[in-house]
Amino acid sequence: ESYWFKGYGNKMTHAWIYKPNSTDNNKPPLIVKAHSGPTSVFDGSFNLEVQYWTSRGWFVAEVNYGGSSGFGRQYRERLNKLWGVLDSADCIALTQSLKEEKLIDPSRIVISGNSAGGLTALTALYKTNLFKAAFCKYPVIDINAMRLNTHRFERNYLNSLIGNYDNNKQKYFERSPNNNLRKINKPILIFHGKKDSVIHFKESIEFNKKLLEKNVYSEIVLFDEEGHGFKDIQNKIKVLEKTEKFLKYIFTLKS
């Protein structure tokens, strides 16, 4: 279903919501998905990953936060200078809206994202107590490292998303999840390919290590032959199965 809610700055913001086909009378748990890009879009087309979760009783919400493509120029420009702020705020606002409408179980809400969506998910995780865990693929953990290592087509992308580095070093620092580790106290699951040329897998290893050092439950799964975007169908299946196992474990742990 197409779903509109009041996001950052009280502006109407879009999401796709997928309700589970369930005979269970209890409210379903929720997975909030932040797309990558970060100026990409969820188009609501048939998605086997979404079907995997709805068939297992999960409510899934794909957030087209401010900055997403396909809703006009003004909508796209909402994210200018606000990446890491507006996107995560929109994910939180959507979750609040679904909670207020009593569509979901507020005690079982998680957030996920890949690449840039990983930064959004991890930021939302430590900005609110709504989310009980996060799972990410090859997340942006250090924005400055991304600035230095990303491919040439995105070399100046961050100038519009955050601002020129020389004049905005503090923002690059403050909005990077690896500089907010002290605020993170929820379980995190990370997947990363060792052939990733955009975000080095060692960043995820280091992040996972630091979380474990501060006694935050965290897991990491590495794939030798994957890059920035997983291709192998067996690995994609493994990601889903591992994520489901992770979620079952943390919610059993919590209850």
Side-chain angles (χ1 to χ4, degrees):
E1 297 173 26
S2 182
Y3 184 87
W4 289 88
F5 63 97
K6 285 186 179 177
Y8 185 84
N10 242 12
K11 291 180 177 174
M12 294 309 292
T13 307
H14 183 262
W16 293 105
I17 61 171
Y18 305 82
K19 296 172 183 174
N21 274 334
S22 176
T23 52
D24 190 345
N25 290 326
N26 295 322
K27 300 287 183 205
L30 170 67
I31 294 174
V32 174
K33 294 181 69 181
H35 62 66
S36 58
T39 54
S40 179
V41 67
F42 286 119
D43 61 9
S45 59
F46 184 76
N47 184 317
L48 287 171
E49 197 174 305
V50 170
Q51 299 302 310
Y52 181 91
W53 294 113
T54 55
S55 70
R56 283 156 175 77
W58 285 84
F59 187 119
V60 178
E62 297 177 328
V63 192
N64 282 322
Y65 50 79
S68 302
S69 304
F71 299 92
R73 184 173 174 178
Q74 284 185 320
Y75 196 101
R76 232 293 295 127
E77 290 179 348
R78 284 187 200 176
L79 200 60
N80 286 0
K81 307 290 189 281
L82 286 171
W83 182 41
V85 177
L86 179 145
D87 46 325
S88 55
D90 280 352
C91 290
I92 293 165
L94 166 73
T95 308
Q96 286 281 21
S97 181
L98 295 173
K99 183 180 169 185
E100 284 164 16
E101 288 194 44
K102 295 184 166 55
L103 293 171
I104 47 125
D105 176 355
S107 71
R108 293 183 294 161
I109 304 173
V110 297
I111 188 163
S112 75
N114 310 336
S115 191
L119 178 134
T120 303
L122 293 172
T123 303
L125 185 70
Y126 65 73
K127 279 191 173 179
T128 177
N129 284 320
L130 282 171
F131 304 110
K132 308 306 178 191
F135 57 94
C136 305
K137 294 180 203 155
Y138 36 88
V140 173
I141 291 168
D142 184 332
I143 299 173
N144 190 38
M146 176 193 171
R147 177 183 74 90
L148 296 170
N149 299 326
T150 192
H151 46 78
R152 63 192 177 94
F153 298 111
E154 289 189 352
R155 185 68 68 210
N156 298 308
Y157 198 17
L158 294 172
N159 289 350
S160 62
L161 292 172
I162 295 177
N164 172 279
Y165 178 73
D166 292 332
N167 300 326
N168 293 277
K169 288 178 184 175
Q170 191 63 22
K171 287 179 184 175
Y172 279 71
F173 182 87
E174 289 171 354
R175 296 183 194 176
S176 296
N178 67 328
N179 297 321
N180 288 280
L181 274 157
R182 68 192 183 283
K183 300 176 187 173
I184 299 174
N185 57 7
K186 313 275 178 55
I188 294 172
L189 170 63
I190 297 173
F191 300 94
H192 215 130
K194 288 188 175 180
K195 290 189 174 178
D196 192 331
S197 59
V198 179
I199 300 162
H200 203 285
F201 73 93
K202 286 184 178 174
E203 286 184 43
S204 287
I205 290 176
E206 190 62 23
F207 190 69
N208 175 67
K209 184 181 158 197
K210 286 178 179 174
L211 287 168
L212 292 173
E213 282 172 358
K214 63 191 288 284
N215 292 321
V216 174
Y217 185 73
S218 178
E219 292 184 43
I220 186 165
V221 179
L222 300 172
F223 295 102
D224 291 337
E225 298 302 317
E226 295 287 7
H228 198 72
F230 296 168
K231 302 283 193 294
D232 188 289
I233 187 68
Q234 292 307 318
N235 289 340
K236 289 181 179 183
I237 292 168
K238 186 177 177 181
V239 166
L240 288 169
E241 290 176 345
K242 178 64 184 170
T243 304
E244 187 175 19
K245 194 176 174 184
F246 169 79
L247 294 176
K248 280 180 178 174
Y249 177 73
I250 61 161
F251 285 119
T252 306
L253 212 62
K254 287 183 177 303
S255 58

